[in-house]
Amino acid sequence: MSVNPPPRLAGETSSRSAGGQQRSAPRHPPRGSGTSAVEVRRSARRSRTVSAYREGNRTIVLIPARMSEAEEQRWVGVMLDKLAAQESKRVIGDAQLTERAQRLSTQYLDGRARPTSVRWVTNQNTRWGSCTPAEGSIRLSHRLQGMPEYVVDYVLVHELAHLLVPGHGPRFWRLMEAYPRTERARGYLEGVVSADRLPHLPTAREE
C-alpha cells in the first residue's frame, strides 16, 4: 500500500545509510492493542511516497529519508489505519465474530462476558451494535464492515460490557477503560456520523 504525502517542509535533515536505506528500531505498541510491532525504514531513493505492508508479526512502513520525526509519527498512524481498514474488508462470518468476541472478553473483561452468539445485521442504521443480556446475543451493524479492526473491536467490547452492566453509568465506563483504544475508536465513529450529516455537494451535470 502506497500513498503520496504532502511536500516535505523546508529545512528538514536526516542522516542516510551507505545503502540508501535507514532502519529504525522496531516499535512495540501498548500491550493488548492487537497491533503488531512497527518498523520504519527510511530510504534516500524515496522522495514522496509512503508505503506499508505486513511482514510476519511486524508492520513495515517505508518513508522518505528526509521526513521529520513528527511527519514519521503521523504517517505511521495513517498507514496503520489504512492497512487495518483494508484487512477489515475481508468480512468474517458470524461464527468467527463470536470467537473474536470471546477472545476480547478474555483479554479485557477477565472472561466474565460470555456471548452465546454474535452476528452481523442489516437493520441497525441508528446504532453500531446491540445486545440482549438475557440471551447473551450481540448484533453488530453491517456498516462496521470495512472499518479499522480496532473500531470493530471497540464495538464488540462495548456490547460485551453491556452483558455485564446494562446502562452507561460509571461502572460501565470503568469496564471500558480496559480497552486501550476506546477514545480513538469513539472519535473515529463520531467522525463517521458527522460526515454522514454533512450536506452533499451537487454533482456536475453531464454535457
Side-chain angles (χ1 to χ4, degrees):
M1 172 181 291
S2 301
V3 297
N4 289 319
R8 179 179 56 82
L9 297 175
E12 293 172 358
T13 59
S14 177
S15 61
R16 300 179 184 181
S17 63
Q21 190 175 82
Q22 176 183 347
R23 297 188 182 189
S24 67
R27 301 177 179 181
H28 296 278
R31 179 180 292 183
S33 65
T35 304
S36 60
V38 177
E39 180 181 312
V40 178
R41 297 178 183 174
R42 291 173 173 262
S43 173
R45 294 186 295 270
R46 183 177 292 266
S47 60
R48 284 186 56 82
T49 59
V50 177
S51 302
Y53 60 92
R54 307 291 192 198
E55 186 178 87
N57 62 350
R58 296 180 301 168
T59 300
I60 310 300
V61 181
L62 308 175
I63 65 173
R66 299 186 67 185
M67 183 173 283
S68 71
E69 289 296 325
E71 284 185 307
E72 174 185 320
Q73 292 179 13
R74 182 168 68 87
W75 278 101
V76 165
V78 168
M79 299 310 291
L80 287 176
D81 277 352
K82 285 182 177 293
L83 281 173
Q86 186 180 69
E87 291 165 353
S88 291
K89 289 181 181 179
R90 306 185 191 112
V91 180
I92 63 176
D94 292 348
Q96 293 170 300
L97 201 60
T98 300
E99 293 176 2
R100 185 166 164 182
Q102 290 169 341
R103 288 197 301 270
L104 290 169
S105 175
T106 300
Q107 188 170 4
Y108 298 114
L109 301 172
D110 298 324
R112 289 182 294 148
R114 301 174 182 176
T116 57
S117 68
V118 186
R119 60 191 176 93
W120 299 107
V121 294
T122 58
N123 61 351
Q124 288 191 161
N125 295 317
T126 59
R127 61 177 66 182
W128 299 112
S130 62
C131 71
T132 303
E135 300 175 357
S137 61
I138 292 175
R139 296 163 295 280
L140 263 58
S141 171
H142 71 288
R143 294 181 299 150
L144 290 166
Q145 295 171 353
M147 291 189 187
E149 186 176 275
Y150 74 90
V151 176
V152 178
D153 283 352
Y154 162 74
V155 178
L156 280 172
V157 175
H158 187 106
E159 299 307 327
L160 286 167
H162 275 314
L163 293 181
L164 303 174
V165 180
H168 289 100
R171 285 183 58 220
F172 174 84
W173 291 112
R174 279 197 295 272
L175 290 177
M176 291 304 301
E177 288 175 359
Y179 183 65
R181 308 186 84 176
T182 289
E183 291 305 316
R184 186 175 182 185
R186 281 168 59 85
Y188 184 101
L189 293 172
E190 288 170 0
V192 171
V193 172
S194 296
D196 286 342
R197 291 174 179 168
L198 291 174
H200 295 286
L201 295 176
T203 57
R205 291 183 300 174
E206 296 183 359
E207 299 296 337

